[in-house]
Amino acid sequence: MKQPTWTVATDFVVLFCGLACFYGIVLIARYWSGGFVRVAQIDRSPTALPVYAFYSLVRILIAYFLSLVFALGYGWLAAHKPRLEAPLLAILDVLQSIPVLSFLPGVMLALVALIPTRQLGLEIGVVILIFTGQVWNMAFSFYSSLKSIPRELHEATRIYKLSPLQRFFTLELPYGTIGLVWNSMVSVAGGWFFLMACEMFVLGKRDFRLPGLGSYLQTAASASDTVSILWGLATMIGIIVLLDQLVWRPIIAWSDKFKFEQVESVAVPRSPILEALRRSQAVKVLSKRIVRPLAEQFVLSLAQKAQRPRPEKKTDKALSYTLAVLIIAVLATVTIYASTRAIGLLRDVDRSNFLLTLKSAAATFLRVNASLLIASAWTIPAGVAIGFHPRLARIAQPLAQIAASVPATALFPILLLGIVQLGGGLGVGSIALMLLGTQWYILFNVIAGAMAIPSDLREVADVFNLSKRDRWKTVILPGIFPYLITGLVTASGGAWNASIVAEYFHMKDQTLSTLGLGAAISRATDTGNFPLLLLSTIVMATMVVTVNRLVWRPLYRLAETRFRLDA
């Protein structure tokens, strides 16, 4: 039987993609194993952009896969271990509130000292920094999804006596997939957003600069080279559009099958790439000969392991208990020692700097909340409209990804000039810059929540001919509520993070700054003032955690109890 021409073409595309991936791995392995270069010379020629874009893309993708693994493990532990839930969420709150720049000095100096002769140490450090800007919203999303799984599904897994691993792969991971996919998109966008801060930075008197798209944009922005900025932004937008078409759109279409509903939706997201891959003979052969047998073998081994009787091993239990106590003791000792040393650093901060830090914290707090209010006002209706209409999503989704990915610092000179001409200052401009970096967390989570609302409920609303107001009150807001809270929590943390680039900015030979905690952190990093950096970071983390405890955590509990599908 003759194959369609486009199917054969798809096979060749799959083959060439495989070869390109192999060459990419060889290229990055050669570069990372090369000699240590602390300050790479950045070529502002457009011909250098493909290699720079490749290096940046590899860093972001590695950081994303690390974030995905971390989010799955951390979210599962927080949702399933009642004794660990509170401390794990507290740790997550603290970590998401610490800006990238606060991680930067310790991570970079440690890794460069650990691997002084190879580029690998510096590259690992940048990947970790990008990881810290991507991971937290994904962990929150998976945790929130697990806590909102309907009770009858949990009961079904108990009736079938599924093991924890079987339950994870058959229920929990599929149920959390839609939220994870949309938070993955916003995480990768966040990686592009912080790329400039991660690839080129100053620690005291030492410069660090890696070849990449972020350092290219940073170099062009510092030199006010508008042509190079436009070339860099065009390259970044091209990569984002390609990723959307080749990766995210097929994954969104594939993940729609995990929606929890009893009536098939009329309008479902589609992807020509996914359809082509499903019809590809090469993919079918790989799936039939390799993927499917391995998956079946894996599922069978899980089932056999679950049915196997578990003998009581008192010796193993005692050994596990002793090991756990030993690990806790070591961790506690290290934590107490490090905390004591850190508190010792704070003695170098005088009273005037302490009061200034508190005033700065109050100023940034007001800006963060103003940006959240403005962001919520447009992202909630827009997200619901996109989530309910796949055709609109096909247009709006790549545009939102592009807007979320463009580093605000590259646009800031233009934005700042416009705001100054309108009579505003950097204080107002920093709110706009925070919006550029954080509103997407709310938008993408609201889209995920709207897409996850079962078609059954929307059809019932149609049958009862509910007014628009009643539809929002009884179907839409309860349906998106858990996702909205996740978006607001991560947007709040993102806004605090964005303050470090919004309140302190290098332009040509001058530095613009305003009163704020982000400016204090950036200034302390620039001057190598570690005591002030530590104090500012502690104040920021304390404020974020306090708000989470008083506001977001009660709302999370409300989402778990009142707005579950089985409530």
Side-chain angles (χ1 to χ4, degrees):
M1 183 176 175
K2 189 177 179 182
Q3 295 178 357
T5 308
W6 62 270
T7 305
V8 177
T10 306
D11 292 343
F12 275 104
V13 170
V14 170
L15 177 64
F16 282 117
C17 285
L19 291 174
C21 288
F22 178 77
Y23 177 72
I25 291 171
V26 171
L27 188 65
I28 204 72
R30 281 180 185 167
Y31 168 61
W32 282 24
S33 60
F36 176 61
V37 180
R38 198 181 69 195
V39 183
Q41 293 301 317
I42 303 300
D43 182 2
R44 279 188 276 153
S45 165
T47 55
L49 278 170
V51 175
Y52 291 165
F54 171 72
Y55 288 153
S56 296
L57 184 63
V58 168
R59 290 171 194 134
I60 288 175
L61 291 181
I62 292 175
Y64 167 70
F65 283 114
L66 292 176
S67 303
L68 182 61
V69 172
F70 179 89
L72 293 177
Y74 203 94
W76 189 90
L77 272 178
H80 284 282
K81 303 292 180 186
R83 290 183 181 176
L84 295 177
E85 184 175 4
L88 286 177
L89 290 181
I91 292 170
L92 203 59
D93 283 342
V94 172
L95 289 177
Q96 78 142 352
S97 63
I98 297 177
V100 170
L101 279 185
S102 296
F103 286 107
L104 198 146
V107 170
M108 278 302 165
L109 295 178
L111 284 168
V112 169
L114 196 63
I115 313 175
T117 59
R118 297 285 178 211
Q119 192 67 10
L120 184 64
L122 201 53
E123 290 289 342
I124 292 175
V126 172
V127 168
I128 291 175
L129 291 176
I130 298 173
F131 166 86
T132 60
Q134 291 185 336
V135 66
W136 317 122
N137 60 306
M138 293 172 65
F140 270 122
S141 169
F142 192 57
Y143 164 77
S144 174
S145 297
L146 295 188
K147 297 297 282 187
S148 59
I149 292 177
R151 290 191 187 91
E152 57 264 33
L153 295 183
H154 276 305
E155 288 170 5
T157 60
R158 279 193 285 272
I159 290 170
Y160 285 106
K161 297 181 180 178
L162 298 186
S163 68
L165 266 179
Q166 284 178 299
R167 190 170 63 235
F168 179 81
F169 285 109
T170 57
L171 170 63
E172 294 168 342
L173 185 56
Y175 196 86
T177 296
I178 292 179
L180 268 179
V181 168
W182 286 91
N183 274 284
S184 295
M185 282 189 282
V186 77
S187 284
V188 172
W192 289 110
F193 184 84
F194 283 108
L195 201 60
M196 289 171 70
C198 294
E199 287 186 344
M200 185 173 170
F201 48 88
V202 178
L203 286 181
K205 296 179 180 177
R206 287 189 289 181
D207 286 351
F208 289 89
R209 191 181 308 164
L210 285 84
L213 202 48
S215 52
Y216 179 93
L217 283 167
Q218 182 84 302
T219 306
S222 300
S224 298
D225 185 349
T226 309
V227 175
S228 296
I229 290 176
L230 292 176
W231 271 112
L233 289 178
T235 305
M236 182 179 289
I237 290 170
I239 294 172
I240 293 164
V241 171
L242 277 177
L243 282 177
D244 174 68
Q245 293 296 321
L246 300 177
V247 179
W248 296 125
R249 190 162 294 189
I251 290 178
I252 288 172
W254 168 79
S255 67
D256 192 66
K257 65 182 180 181
F258 299 121
K259 187 188 286 187
F260 181 65
E261 60 186 3
Q262 295 174 351
V263 177
E264 188 177 355
S265 177
V266 176
V268 295
R270 298 191 183 281
S271 163
I273 299 291
L274 182 63
E275 293 299 321
L277 288 175
R278 281 173 173 163
R279 293 173 186 273
S280 163
Q281 291 301 315
V283 173
K284 282 181 182 176
V285 169
L286 285 173
S287 175
K288 184 178 177 182
R289 300 286 174 82
I290 300 176
V291 178
R292 203 177 301 164
L294 286 176
E296 288 173 355
Q297 183 62 36
F298 179 67
V299 171
L300 184 63
S301 66
L302 286 182
Q304 289 173 342
K305 191 176 179 183
Q307 292 176 356
R308 205 174 296 152
R310 298 177 184 176
E312 288 288 332
K313 293 182 179 178
K314 294 182 180 178
T315 310
D316 286 353
K317 278 188 176 179
L319 185 63
S320 301
Y321 181 77
T322 307
L323 191 61
V325 170
L326 188 63
I327 291 172
I328 291 171
V330 170
L331 288 176
T333 306
V334 171
T335 304
I336 292 170
Y337 173 77
S339 302
T340 308
R341 301 285 296 185
I343 291 170
L345 279 176
L346 295 179
R347 291 175 188 160
D348 296 334
V349 180
D350 56 30
R351 188 169 178 270
S352 61
N353 274 325
F354 182 76
L355 292 176
L356 182 62
T357 303
L358 294 183
K359 287 180 186 175
S360 302
T364 303
F365 178 78
L366 293 176
R367 291 192 192 104
V368 165
N369 286 289
S371 68
L372 285 182
L373 281 175
I374 297 170
S376 301
W378 80 270
T379 54
I380 294 175
V384 170
I386 295 171
F388 278 4
H389 301 94
R391 287 185 181 177
L392 178 61
R394 279 198 289 273
I395 301 170
Q397 175 200 324
L399 294 178
Q401 280 188 65
I402 291 167
S405 307
V406 174
T409 41
L411 298 177
F412 198 51
I414 304 168
L415 187 68
L416 184 59
L417 286 176
I419 291 171
V420 168
Q421 284 183 353
L422 291 173
L426 188 60
V428 178
S430 58
I431 295 176
L433 205 61
M434 285 179 188
L435 270 173
L436 289 176
T438 60
Q439 57 197 341
W440 314 111
Y441 291 106
I442 306 174
L443 178 67
F444 281 56
N445 274 284
V446 171
I447 294 173
M451 291 185 74
I453 293 177
S455 302
D456 323 25
L457 295 180
R458 292 167 59 186
E459 290 183 7
V460 168
D462 291 337
V463 169
F464 283 96
N465 198 23
L466 294 183
S467 66
K468 190 175 284 185
R469 182 171 175 274
D470 288 338
R471 200 178 290 256
W472 273 88
K473 189 178 173 184
T474 58
V475 177
I476 298 174
L477 284 178
I480 66 170
F481 191 77
Y483 295 85
L484 177 62
I485 299 305
T486 300
L488 286 169
V489 170
T490 50
S492 173
W496 283 99
N497 256 308
S499 68
I500 61 173
V501 291
E503 296 175 344
Y504 188 88
F505 186 73
H506 294 289
M507 191 163 68
K508 292 185 179 177
D509 297 328
Q510 58 178 332
T511 301
L512 303 176
S513 67
T514 185
L515 179 68
L517 206 51
I521 289 174
S522 297
R523 194 179 301 110
T525 306
D526 265 8
T527 57
N529 189 341
F530 295 120
L532 195 56
L533 175 64
L534 178 63
L535 175 66
S536 304
T537 304
I538 289 173
V539 171
M540 185 177 282
T542 304
M543 293 186 73
V544 174
V545 171
T546 304
V547 170
N548 284 355
R549 284 284 172 275
L550 297 179
V551 180
W552 303 125
R553 199 60 61 208
L555 291 175
Y556 256 128
R557 280 198 289 274
L558 191 64
E560 293 164 11
T561 54
R562 186 171 176 182
F563 296 118
R564 287 159 62 124
L565 285 173
D566 57 347

